[in-house]
Amino acid sequence: MIHEVAILNIRPGTSIAFENAFVQAQAIISSMPGYVSHQLQCCLETPDRYLLLVEWRNLEDHTIGFRQSPQYDEWKHLLHHFYEPFPMVEHYEPVFVSYSQKL
Amino acid sequence: MIHEVAILNIRPGTSIAFENAFVQAQAIISSMPGYVSHQLQCCLETPDRYLLLVEWRNLEDHTIGFRQSPQYDEWKHLLHHFYEPFPMVEHYEPVFVSYSQKL
């Protein structure tokens, strides 16, 4: 499993429109082969900043399977005009993962 | 629940030492009140870059409970000398979280 990771800075004042568009966009990634999970999180310190984490079975499920698909055109159409500047997207793989024993 | 999020760039060539130190350091955060989970992930595109995600019950468990504790001094002693530059730490809260229905 790998994570696609991007800090998304969106145009000021567009967070409601962005989150509404993301509702539609997340249905697209959720249907792609190799998709495992995703999270959109908003920053507490910086307005109009989000963290996108998408878990894929492997790197190529994202870089080839998704990015070279017709669905990616829909994703871009829904979301890319919100970004300012355009985000850097990186991929990460787990080194250590741990959960509280007290929960 | 909130996430502490930091992109960690470490001094080139110190990844083995950093990961070894992190084994000790993660025992510290795991024992703190309000700790929920953590992940250390390494970047596939950029050598010596990691993503640290620590989930806390609330913001103050990190900013006050942990950062003002004696344990934070140990954490700093173990890890801070690896960072170049020193990382920006932000906090995020979930907007959308979803998992594949196919797993």
Side-chain angles (χ1 to χ4, degrees):
Chain A
M1 303 283 192
I2 64 103
H3 269 101
E4 168 196 352
V5 177
I7 303 287
L8 308 175
N9 291 289
I10 65 163
R11 288 185 288 111
T14 64
S15 62
I16 291 174
F18 171 69
E19 291 183 14
N20 286 339
F22 193 87
V23 170
Q24 290 183 263
Q26 67 183 350
I28 297 171
I29 46 169
S30 302
S31 71
M32 295 303 298
Y35 162 88
V36 179
S37 71
H38 73 273
Q39 299 182 35
L40 183 74
Q41 303 202 19
C42 63
C43 187
L44 301 185
E45 289 89 5
T46 305
D48 309 308
R49 179 172 292 171
Y50 293 82
L51 170 68
L52 175 64
L53 298 171
V54 186
E55 198 174 4
W56 299 94
R57 191 177 45 194
N58 60 50
L59 183 63
E60 293 73 22
D61 286 322
H62 178 226
T63 57
I64 299 171
F66 182 45
R67 281 188 176 159
Q68 295 183 11
S69 70
Q71 291 92 325
Y72 187 61
D73 291 333
E74 289 182 68
W75 172 272
K76 282 196 294 191
H77 179 71
L78 284 165
L79 297 180
H80 281 200
H81 60 96
F82 286 104
Y83 303 150
E84 191 176 86
F86 196 77
M88 180 175 68
V89 177
E90 294 181 307
H91 299 90
Y92 287 82
E93 65 182 358
V95 181
F96 301 111
V97 178
S98 187
Y99 297 87
S100 173
Q101 303 300 309
K102 297 174 201 155
L103 297 179
Chain B
M1 304 284 193
I2 63 103
H3 270 100
E4 168 196 349
V5 177
I7 303 288
L8 308 175
N9 291 289
I10 65 162
R11 288 184 290 111
T14 64
S15 62
I16 292 174
F18 171 69
E19 291 182 13
N20 287 339
F22 193 86
V23 170
Q24 291 182 260
Q26 67 183 350
I28 297 171
I29 45 168
S30 302
S31 71
M32 295 304 297
Y35 162 87
V36 179
S37 71
H38 73 273
Q39 298 182 37
L40 183 73
Q41 302 204 19
C42 64
C43 187
L44 301 185
E45 289 89 6
T46 305
D48 309 308
R49 178 171 292 172
Y50 292 83
L51 170 68
L52 175 64
L53 298 172
V54 186
E55 197 174 5
W56 299 93
R57 190 178 44 193
N58 60 50
L59 183 64
E60 293 72 24
D61 287 322
H62 178 227
T63 57
I64 299 172
F66 182 45
R67 281 189 176 159
Q68 295 184 11
S69 69
Q71 292 92 325
Y72 187 61
D73 292 333
E74 289 182 69
W75 171 273
K76 283 196 294 190
H77 179 71
L78 284 164
L79 297 180
H80 282 201
H81 60 97
F82 286 105
Y83 304 149
E84 192 176 87
F86 196 77
M88 180 175 70
V89 177
E90 294 181 308
H91 299 90
Y92 287 82
E93 65 183 357
V95 181
F96 300 110
V97 178
S98 187
Y99 297 87
S100 173
Q101 304 300 308
K102 296 174 202 154
L103 296 179

